[in-house]
């Protein structure tokens, strides 16, 4: 061709780390980001557990769930107030509580002291979400919605950036760089399952890319999370993949916990119930201790 | 488990078409959407060619390119005014002209009469883009940015919805349903290359999923585009994949054409030059006629 | 790390072409391989059509099919005599005729003059298959079964090497190099559908990677085939993907044609019937002529 | 279409388990396969570690490596005597010792008492390999080479069946069913890295699909292995992915250990050295104990 064959970069090169992701890049001193949300430290010895339902279904369920999480030793309450489906219709069973849901999350925090992580997916809702959230979640669908990333970064709130289910390590780091470049400092990277050629059940859509955990920690100083519930889409695999996440070096774990999984408003195959959560907390603590970290 | 094993739907079932994508779904009468942008008809016998540079680099280059496209028989001028990279830095070589770029696109339309397609990726820029664009493009990164989709749909402008490079047919249709549900009627679906396990050059990142063309036309009445330039990332493959797109049933083709590809501000491996565009228009016309359609 | 970060080569570099695939590589003179099977030329202006059922079901069906293919202008009869399923059980409906099937293929050749392509997947059957086959097919499952490749190459028969559904361009070329290195000269490369993250129907498993056609022809002088029937797994998409294959530069097409597709012993969704084959031959001829080639 | 839309089965259904994989399927009694190779038990509390170099490079190196593995507590010696590259050429640095390599493996077993696992990839070498190997490995490239599978099964030796890097769970189980159907009983399933759309370094080709571990154990009673060395292709990630494999429920781990990784004849980025192996054995023991299993 005569045209030089420049690789556009599927992978993260050392040159990329210097010129394209300087704020995200792990430096020679190997210093890793640590920060506190209330009194929960991310990036240190503790592996904080973020747990709760996919969606705030009503005030009572979110309060009951928050209490169960608190009691089992969980650190952060997760739940979506804004949670659109991948098509524009709702059903009697599935709906979004939106601002009303945010208020219930606030109530749950007041009742239990658990900090809140919840998703923002609309530039016009950043302010409303930032008032309630202790950590603002950016979901898979908006990983490269740079306009939203910039507005969320400006709130100076802690942020969890989920990797898009089809995104490269490089694109994920690029989105994190947008956040740090705009002034965010307390950012968590979250692997939540990739689309791969072969999933494992007719009900599964993703596979947790655990190799992304050491890969992300090799290039970046930011703490790395995994979301085994969403990745597996299948409650029986949540425990093994949570333990594997800890063993692989994940700094925090997000879990879907529901008072009555079979009757969850959405994705009923993936949440674990309160008893399963209690049991899993204990197992995670054992594995964490085996690698000199802790969950409790 | 006891829990019923409900498939969450990677594929589009007949039931999905009825309850989740009723507006997008092709009906028993097989009537397909046709609409005109200025006097260019989409969805009919004509296969409109949307061509131009990745980015509006300056006023002169976009005017010269528009004239070359017009002269070769192209129907729509494409170019990005907002065009962020996947990390937040710019270089002397690469920058965005933003609102200034929109003005130059307006100038190009006035000079040539070619309608404009350009991308909007910020809820705060929908109005500005809608003033200039004849077709608003939603890019791969924002395919599931529903807040943006809704605001763009409300402009009532024609829209081209690019498929995310990792998205299923079902998620793509879901995003189109958001647009139609919000009142958009003139919507084009665009396949622009998928991330697959094995691309074909160190410089290639995607592979054009041509099978998605008959697949999308089987489930939906909306016209289907392909973008061979972005999918191949390699100028020598643009011609064969454009011809293949037409033969596979694509209703419109988007092409990257640049006055001096080797010196393009971004992605210099993929644009074709004016002479190559002239030659390709003739070849596309031959293949289109072989299946009873036309490009010229 | 200190360890040099050597890329093991997912893609085919210029260096690879010199040192690893010297026999397969397209040289500066751009001379492409042409060869004849009986009087059917591969690699030239003609695009030979290889058609027939997945499996030799009985003597009568293969004779009837061969006659229909011959009459419609098809060039080569394809059918499997050895055709194991992906698990070791057979049913009343599905079985392999094995050596008996080879004899029926011989009868079909005698009756119609059509050369035969059929698969060999066992080192102990190479001789038996080579006695009957005019072209020996190496299937997706055995693309990297080098012991088999070497034995088949030694027969000096023409060979069609199918790309594994998960293989890189580089691994495919490496397998072709094994064949040429062992003395084979008349080798066809066949793309037959890749596993990708998102297929398009619950019944589809692969997507035809048409971009692999210009990619393979860029690096190699060998003729390139596609197999739209197997790739799409859905009869209605066979015609568009066959036309697209020709437009993309495929040198030969393999098609599944069955006297009664709904009652085919295996994969009943993908074959087209005799009338559909006649119609498709005409359409392929039109598209081929549009790019200065021919099918008839 | 009128044709019934039968899913050909990418995933493993309950019906599949009954009719297509009855021998592989985990039964209602949940009894899992256990067997001993010499006095090493697979499928029980112990997680046997199979370690050694990619390739038998010379007699001295394999003896030294075997002693180091033995001393560190490893259970099985792995090394390839037959190890073709993905193209047919050899170099001064890279070659295969073949039958000579088998003899050195025999010497290493005599010297250390470690049982041997080594690969067979040629129907004509089954007998020779079976004479030396305590476990015969079937590699990724031959997972669906049924002729080879059948001949290896007939030796009645223990077998480790690696999953093809592009294979579904269903195709993997189908190949295991071929082995059991032919009379093999002591079969290990090994996940060794999948081709996914985005790997994590320019030097990486695969990603370990750890979710396949609980998935395989949900459908089958056979013990499940992982191969973190080959999957990661990067020594620094071998430890985290080995620990993660154990936490995810893997029943045995295969590791690449080399006396001088940087000068390994092939794939020098992935082996760990003797000291790293000693350290990893200790860490694996800690994680194994945390889930009530053991490595030592």
């Amino acid at each position: 061709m005569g045209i030089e064959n420049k690789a556009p970069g599927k992978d993260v090169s050392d040159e990329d780390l210097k010129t394209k992701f300087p704020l995200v890049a792990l430096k020679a001193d190997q210093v890793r980001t640590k920060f506190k949300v209330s009194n929960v430290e991310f990036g240190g010895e503790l592996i904080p557990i973020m747990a709760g339902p996919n969606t705030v279904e009503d005030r009572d369920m979110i309060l009951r769930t928050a209490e169960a999480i608190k009691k089992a030793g969980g650190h952060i309450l997760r739940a979506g107030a804004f949670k659109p489906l991948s098509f524009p219709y709702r059903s009697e069973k599935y709906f979004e509580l939106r601002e009303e849901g945010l208020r219930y999350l606030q109530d749950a925090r007041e009742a239990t002291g658990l900090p809140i992580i919840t998703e923002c997916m609309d530039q016009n809702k950043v302010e409303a979400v930032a008032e309630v959230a202790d950590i603002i979640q950016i979901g898979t669908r908006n990983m490269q919605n740079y306009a939203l990333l910039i507005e969320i970064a400006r709130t100076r709130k802690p942020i969890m950036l989920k990797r898009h289910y089809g995104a490269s390590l490089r694109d994920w780091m690029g989105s994190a760089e947008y956040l740090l470049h705009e002034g965010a400092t307390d950012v968590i990277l979250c692997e939540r399952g990739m689309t791969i050629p072969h999933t494992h059940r007719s009900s599964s859509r993703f596979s947790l890319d655990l190799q992304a955990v050491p890969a992300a920690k090799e290039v970046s100083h930011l703490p790395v999370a995994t979301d085994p519930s969403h990745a597996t889409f299948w409650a029986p695999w949540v425990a093994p993949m949570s333990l594997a996440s800890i063993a692989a070096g994940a700094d925090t774990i997000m879990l879907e916990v529901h008072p009555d999984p079979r009757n969850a408003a959405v994705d009923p195959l993936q949440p674990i119930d309160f008893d399963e959560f209690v049991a899993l907390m204990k197992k995670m603590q054992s594995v964490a201790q085996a690698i000199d970290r802790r969950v409790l």
Side-chain angles (χ1 to χ4, degrees), chain A:
Chain A
M1 271 296 288
I3 300 182
E4 186 197 351
N5 185 356
K6 280 185 273 180
K10 289 171 277 198
D11 308 290
V12 178
S13 67
D14 290 347
E15 179 60 24
D16 284 342
L17 290 172
K18 276 181 213 145
T19 61
K20 301 191 174 90
F21 318 119
L23 303 175
V24 156
L26 181 66
K27 300 303 177 306
D29 61 15
Q30 299 283 319
V31 176
R32 296 193 171 277
T33 286
K34 285 187 190 184
F35 58 86
K36 282 197 169 174
V37 174
S38 294
N39 59 351
V40 179
E41 190 180 59
F42 284 81
E45 184 200 3
L46 179 72
I47 297 170
I49 306 302
M50 306 179 277
N54 184 300
T55 309
V56 184
E57 296 178 14
D58 60 52
R59 188 173 184 278
D60 178 61
M61 77 81 77
I62 195 67
L63 282 171
R64 275 197 303 138
T65 308
E67 274 151 27
I69 304 257
K70 172 81 177 180
K71 201 175 151 197
H75 304 91
I76 309 278
L77 178 66
R78 63 151 290 179
F82 299 94
K83 206 77 192 179
L85 297 174
S86 51
F87 47 90
Y89 306 106
R90 302 292 167 268
S91 64
E92 234 173 284
K93 188 156 185 205
Y94 188 70
F95 48 88
E96 299 174 280
L97 288 181
R98 304 173 68 91
E99 280 80 357
E100 188 186 342
L102 290 178
R103 284 197 302 276
Y104 298 158
L105 283 171
Q106 219 156 5
D107 295 346
R109 180 174 51 197
E110 271 167 41
T112 60
L114 290 178
I116 303 296
I117 179 168
T118 196
E119 183 170 353
C120 179
M121 50 181 80
D122 184 334
Q123 292 172 252
N124 297 325
K125 301 292 181 191
V126 173
E127 209 179 327
V129 172
E131 263 175 50
V132 170
D134 298 284
I135 307 173
I136 301 178
Q137 177 177 316
I138 296 167
T140 193
R141 295 158 173 169
N142 288 291
M143 189 196 90
Q144 291 191 303
N145 175 355
Y146 302 132
L148 180 69
L149 265 60
I150 288 169
E151 293 197 26
I152 290 176
R154 287 178 180 161
T155 66
R156 295 295 181 272
K157 285 272 178 179
I159 298 168
M160 186 168 84
L161 177 69
K162 286 199 157 184
R163 181 186 182 194
H164 188 278
Y165 56 74
S168 67
L169 185 64
R170 191 173 188 273
D171 283 344
W172 192 20
M173 294 304 138
S175 290
E177 187 77 15
Y178 266 95
L179 296 174
L180 300 192
H181 182 251
E182 206 63 37
T185 54
D186 302 350
V187 172
I188 303 161
L189 301 166
C190 179
E191 156 61 27
R192 44 73 75 208
M194 290 286 288
T195 55
I196 62 164
H198 294 292
T199 52
H200 311 100
R201 298 176 59 83
S202 61
S203 62
S204 61
R205 293 183 296 191
F206 307 109
S207 191
L208 190 66
D209 181 18
L210 262 191
Q211 207 164 297
V213 173
K217 298 188 77 164
E218 184 175 280
V219 296
S220 177
H221 56 81
L222 295 172
V224 176
T226 68
D227 178 351
S229 303
H230 211 80
T232 60
F233 223 80
W234 184 233
W237 299 348
V238 169
M241 296 315 288
S242 298
L243 302 180
S245 296
I246 288 172
D251 298 299
T252 168
I253 309 281
M254 172 167 266
L255 290 171
E256 218 160 286
V257 176
H258 190 283
D260 182 10
R262 296 186 197 195
N263 292 306
V266 67
D267 296 344
L269 297 175
Q270 81 195 37
I272 55 176
D273 67 22
F274 296 166
D275 288 346
E276 289 165 331
F277 181 61
V278 169
L280 179 54
M281 285 297 290
K282 283 176 194 154
K283 284 186 200 162
M284 289 194 291
Q285 172 71 349
S286 294
V287 172
Q289 287 178 320
I291 57 161
D292 299 320
R293 297 187 79 171
R294 62 187 178 85
V295 163
L296 292 173

